[in-house]
Amino acid sequence: QVQLVESGGDSVQPGGSLKLSCVYSGFTFRDVGCMGWYRQAPGKEREEVGVIYLGNGRPYYDGDATAGRFTISRDNNKNTIYLEINNLKPDDSARYYCARCHGCAVAQCFNPTNWGQGTQVTVSS
């Protein structure tokens, strides 16, 4: 059974940092080429943050808002991908999800499935 479990979300002040984790089970990195991180703020559509290719660990990011502040990584030995966010801004407040991709093209995750329950990030002073 495929399962993804996110964790690491918290309430932080602007300028702070968080490292989110997504532990996956029911498949291995050899079965899945890439995985994605997404976020959804209240009243907004879910948006892709970026993807990581599990084989070579290469991440790709979406959007200028994440440039330089978001780092996606993976540990195949732990069946885990990570999203580290530095210099957090109030606009980063959202529920963050990981998903299994069924193929990727650079930063685009195709047909994301097996969503986890998400982890909440709240940024406020």
Side-chain angles (χ1 to χ4, degrees), residues 43-98:
K44 295 187 177 181
E45 293 187 356
R46 183 152 48 191
E47 63 176 354
E48 185 183 289
V49 171
V51 303
I52 184 162
Y53 289 76
L54 298 182
N56 62 15
R58 178 75 164 90
Y60 291 89
Y61 305 96
D62 291 83
D64 294 334
T66 63
R69 299 191 299 115
F70 286 52
T71 303
I72 300 174
S73 60
R74 67 37 171 150
D75 185 337
N76 290 339
N77 291 325
K78 295 182 178 180
N79 285 1
T80 302
I81 65 171
Y82 303 96
L83 173 63
E84 184 169 9
I85 313 172
N86 296 313
N87 190 21
L88 278 155
K89 305 177 185 301
D91 284 348
D92 295 322
S93 296
R95 195 159 190 87
Y96 285 73
Y97 299 86
C98 60

Side-chain angles (χ1 to χ4, degrees), residues 20-65:
L20 311 182
S21 300
C22 167
V23 180
Y24 58 89
S25 58
F27 61 92
T28 72
F29 75 94
R30 295 179 182 86
D31 301 321
V32 176
C34 51
M35 294 183 66
W37 277 103
Y38 294 77
R39 64 183 181 181
Q40 187 169 21
K44 295 187 177 181
E45 293 187 356
R46 183 152 48 191
E47 63 176 354
E48 185 183 289
V49 171
V51 303
I52 184 162
Y53 289 76
L54 298 182
N56 62 15
R58 178 75 164 90
Y60 291 89
Y61 305 96
D62 291 83
D64 294 334

